[in-house]
Amino acid sequence: MNGTLGPHVKSSFAHYLFLVFLSDLVEALKPDYVAPLVLWLCHESCEENGSLFEVSHPFLLSLKRALGAIVRQKNQPMTPEAVKANWQKICDFENASKPLRIQESIGSIIGVLSKIDSEGGISTNSTSHAASAAPSAFAEIIGHELPSFSSAYTELQTIMYALGVGASVKEPKDMKFIYEGSTDFSCLPTFGVIIAQKPITGGDLPQVPGLSVDFGKVCSIYLFILLFILGNLKCEAVIADIVDKGSGLVIFLDVYSYFEEELICYNQFSVFAVGSGGIGGKRVSDKAKVAVPVPNRPPDAVRSDATSLNQSALYRLSGDWNPLHIDPNLAGFAGFDRPILHGLCTFGFSARHVLQQFADNDVSRFKAIKARFSKPVYPGQTLQTEMWKEGNRIHFQTKVQETGDIVISNAYVDLLPTSEISAKTPSEGGELQSTLVFEEIGRRLKDIGHEVAKKVNAVFEWHITKGGHTAAKWTIDLKSGSGKVYEGPAKGSADATFTLSDEDFMEVVLGKLDPQKAFFSGRLKARGNIMLSQKLQMILKDYAKL
């Protein structure tokens, strides 16, 4: 008799594994089975004194454990009389053990429950959890909106993510993702999943009324990128559909992320609820983003990166705090030799390889990505991405180089053709429109320059392009005196330098293009103290509208 209640992790090859209590296990170890022990210890005929009995969370104590005794049978109540009858066995330390790890302690408890079950005891049928989620109930669940939430991020979060998925100073072209001072500083497109993951990692999905299932893993993901901006995004999540695969249910969760009213990115997570299927629901969904097998020919390109032994420890700083990826004891209890790498980390490595190989790290060409997760990766292993180009779609699969195991399958990235992302510029002839703006700012500074200079205290240099080439340079000096605007580079050193086309400059000034949005899409390049752009936005918005 060792009434231990411990956490259970559903073992899977997912990039999201959740620490859950199996309802059957909780039922098997409910207080009703502990109370008889307390009653017996309180009985006047019990002579036990000064003893310690393990009843919960053995991993919190270092105990020498007796072998114990089974004191209940199939679907029978446990009684103080049964405890009394087996007391000698319960307290027999002749062959005692001393569990050193959580899996050793809980493993013996699960073994006892299995023995009771084999003799006709408690039910361990995991499909019992889906009983309340009959197909007729799906109609009410589908379309259910989860609580909306906000995702705020700055350069710190995007850089941390890039490092977590393998971006490195060893690769010069990666500097744009890990150094905020880079002239073309950008956010990796797959950061979009970090923005949207809260309904899963935060536990919102299992709380949906009527969806009484244990959630095990996200088996695939689809991410559609429109544009990234720096700041606070509002996210809305909805259950798009549910299908019955027999061995489990697949819940399709759509997450939409907005900046103000504009859709920035869209995610679809396919969440597989292990053991909750077989209840007669439909087996396919017309709302699912379909995975596509890779072509049956040798890959057109292959890239590989060795993950670090610290990869999981680094990646989890982006928001996935599941201890399975860092705690050796918990990983062992879940059936793994050691902590496994986040599936979304592998996903990020793979997408980065595609972006390097076929888009020269141009994030503005990245449109969408679809991937399925199949096997786990251990930190320290080498990820090898095999790629096939078919038009603007890049099919890929990712393997562990050391074992040959495919860990991401039936995946693809859709790229925008260069013609669709080239910035539109004014005709070759005629005066630059931006010239009128700088001249107007100069005129207005004569009246308010001293006040603005005190607020801003910075020098801005502008490189205005036309047809892809620098057509003009302007300086707005708001560091001393009453401020001044002049054509040409800064006479001293500029605190921040911005480069963008004449047309995009006009859209920023007229409020049609958000500067942050332009920055993350690559249309506005910046170097120096880019945080000064917030002050710059004030200038353009408050003092220079035409």
Side-chain angles (χ1 to χ4, degrees):
M1 173 181 179
N2 282 311
T4 304
L5 177 61
H8 172 82
V9 178
K10 299 192 77 172
S11 173
S12 69
F13 299 134
H15 64 270
Y16 284 123
L17 292 98
F18 302 94
L19 190 63
V20 297
F21 285 105
L22 283 178
S23 300
D24 289 327
L25 186 56
V26 172
E27 176 68 17
L29 299 173
K30 60 186 179 181
D32 299 28
Y33 298 132
V34 179
L37 169 63
V38 178
L39 290 174
W40 163 242
L41 291 173
C42 294
H43 195 270
E44 60 185 10
S45 64
C46 179
E47 299 179 355
E48 193 71 31
N49 188 32
S51 300
L52 177 64
F53 295 91
E54 175 190 3
V55 293
S56 179
H57 299 296
F59 52 91
L60 298 179
L61 300 170
S62 177
L63 298 175
K64 190 174 183 181
R65 173 191 277 173
L67 293 182
I70 297 175
V71 295
R72 64 183 175 90
Q73 303 303 323
K74 177 182 178 180
N75 297 326
Q76 296 298 315
M78 182 173 159
T79 65
E81 290 78 13
V83 175
K84 177 182 178 180
N86 289 275
W87 195 245
Q88 187 173 352
K89 286 185 179 180
I90 293 171
C91 299
D92 184 3
F93 281 86
E94 183 176 348
N95 295 304
S97 64
K98 186 176 182 180
L100 298 178
R101 300 193 300 167
I102 181 175
Q103 54 264 45
E104 294 175 6
S105 184
I106 295 181
S108 63
I109 300 301
I110 294 176
V112 169
L113 295 177
S114 298
K115 184 175 181 180
I116 294 174
D117 184 50
S118 66
E119 296 175 355
I122 61 170
S123 168
T124 56
N125 178 13
S126 60
T127 61
S128 64
H129 304 295
S132 63
S136 59
F138 289 168
E140 297 181 6
I141 299 171
I142 295 171
H144 177 85
E145 296 180 1
L146 279 67
S148 61
F149 59 97
S150 296
S151 288
Y153 64 96
T154 66
E155 296 94 339
L156 174 62
Q157 285 74 37
T158 64
I159 292 172
M160 188 70 73
Y161 174 77
L163 293 170
V165 297
S168 171
V169 293
K170 295 179 181 178
E171 173 55 60
K173 290 186 178 181
D174 280 353
M175 290 299 291
K176 65 187 293 183
F177 304 122
I178 59 178
Y179 174 45
E180 74 286 356
S182 298
T183 56
D184 54 351
F185 179 67
S186 304
C187 176
L188 280 169
T190 46
F191 182 75
V193 300
I194 301 298
I195 295 170
Q197 66 185 356
K198 183 180 179 295
I200 301 175
T201 59
D204 292 343
L205 192 56
Q207 303 303 316
V208 174
L211 199 59
S212 181
V213 297
D214 289 324
F215 291 92
K217 64 176 182 177
V218 173
C219 54
S220 67
I221 186 170
Y222 176 83
L223 169 64
F224 179 79
I225 299 292
L226 293 173
L227 202 58
F228 269 132
I229 66 167
L230 197 68
N232 194 11
L233 302 183
K234 180 183 178 182
C235 302
E236 298 176 354
V238 60
I239 295 178
D241 210 349
I242 301 175
V243 299
D244 188 344
K245 293 296 185 180
S247 60
L249 297 178
V250 177
I251 297 95
F252 295 98
L253 180 69
D254 288 350
V255 183
Y256 301 86
S257 301
Y258 299 89
F259 177 73
E260 296 178 349
E261 300 300 321
E262 185 175 1
L263 180 66
I264 299 302
C265 66
Y266 157 76
N267 285 267
Q268 183 179 86
F269 298 97
S270 302
V271 185
F272 188 59
V274 182
S276 298
I279 57 177
K282 64 181 182 180
R283 300 185 65 86
V284 296
S285 171
D286 57 0
K287 297 180 181 178
K289 304 301 179 182
V290 181
V292 181
V294 300
N296 185 23
R297 57 183 172 83
D300 298 322
V302 178
R303 282 185 177 253
S304 62
D305 265 319
T307 62
S308 163
L309 292 175
N310 292 318
Q311 205 72 54
S312 290
L314 180 58
Y315 181 82
R316 69 193 300 268
L317 299 181
S318 288
D320 190 338
W321 300 102
N322 191 329
L324 178 72
H325 304 292
I326 192 72
D327 189 330
N329 287 330
L330 201 54
F333 178 56
F336 299 106
D337 295 337
R338 55 191 184 277
I340 61 173
L341 191 63
H342 303 71
L344 276 181
C345 181
T346 302
F347 173 79
F349 268 84
S350 304
R352 202 168 48 76
H353 288 163
V354 174
L355 196 66
Q356 287 174 342
Q357 182 67 36
F358 291 103
D360 195 30
N361 273 355
D362 184 354
V363 297
S364 64
R365 293 196 58 199
F366 198 100
K367 179 181 180 181
I369 180 171
K370 169 73 178 179
R372 292 179 61 182
F373 304 92
S374 51
K375 285 192 175 183
V377 176
Y378 290 106
Q381 291 183 320
T382 302
L383 294 173
Q384 177 178 295
T385 305
E386 300 175 341
M387 296 165 274
W388 293 260
K389 187 178 189 303
E390 294 194 341
N392 291 312
R393 172 163 289 183
I394 312 300
H395 299 268
F396 72 91
Q397 65 181 17
T398 305
K399 295 179 177 179
V400 170
Q401 193 173 79
E402 290 82 357
T403 64
D405 289 340
I406 296 176
V407 294
I408 290 182
S409 62
N410 297 349
Y412 64 81
V413 168
D414 284 336
L415 298 175
L416 291 171
T418 306
S419 58
E420 288 188 24
I421 54 92
S422 297
K424 296 179 181 180
T425 56
S427 60
E428 290 298 322
E431 185 180 18
L432 294 173
Q433 298 176 72
S434 56
T435 300
L436 302 176
V437 176
F438 287 113
E439 291 175 347
E440 178 64 17
I441 293 176
R443 282 191 290 271
R444 297 192 182 191
L445 282 180
K446 292 178 181 179
D447 298 324
I448 58 175
H450 184 71
E451 177 186 349
V452 175
K454 284 198 304 183
K455 292 181 178 179
V456 178
N457 191 32
V459 176
F460 302 98
E461 185 175 311
W462 290 84
H463 296 181
I464 304 300
T465 66
K466 184 177 181 181
H469 303 285
T470 300
K473 292 182 180 181
W474 285 85
T475 299
I476 302 178
D477 184 349
L478 296 172
K479 204 162 194 174
S480 59
S482 58
K484 55 184 176 180
V485 178
Y486 55 88
E487 188 170 4
K491 295 176 181 178
S493 60
D495 294 287
T497 300
F498 302 95
T499 303
L500 77 169
S501 70
D502 185 61
E503 184 179 68
D504 285 341
F505 179 89
M506 291 303 301
E507 290 191 359
V508 169
V509 170
L510 297 175
K512 296 180 180 180
L513 176 63
D514 186 279
Q516 296 174 341
K517 190 180 299 184
F519 177 64
F520 273 91
S521 66
R523 293 166 68 179
L524 167 63
K525 301 182 184 342
R527 68 174 184 267
N529 187 352
I530 62 173
M531 297 306 294
L532 289 172
S533 62
Q534 296 178 358
K535 294 183 178 181
L536 184 64
Q537 190 171 2
M538 176 191 72
I539 300 171
L540 297 179
K541 182 176 181 180
D542 296 341
Y543 298 112
K545 277 192 173 180
L546 301 182

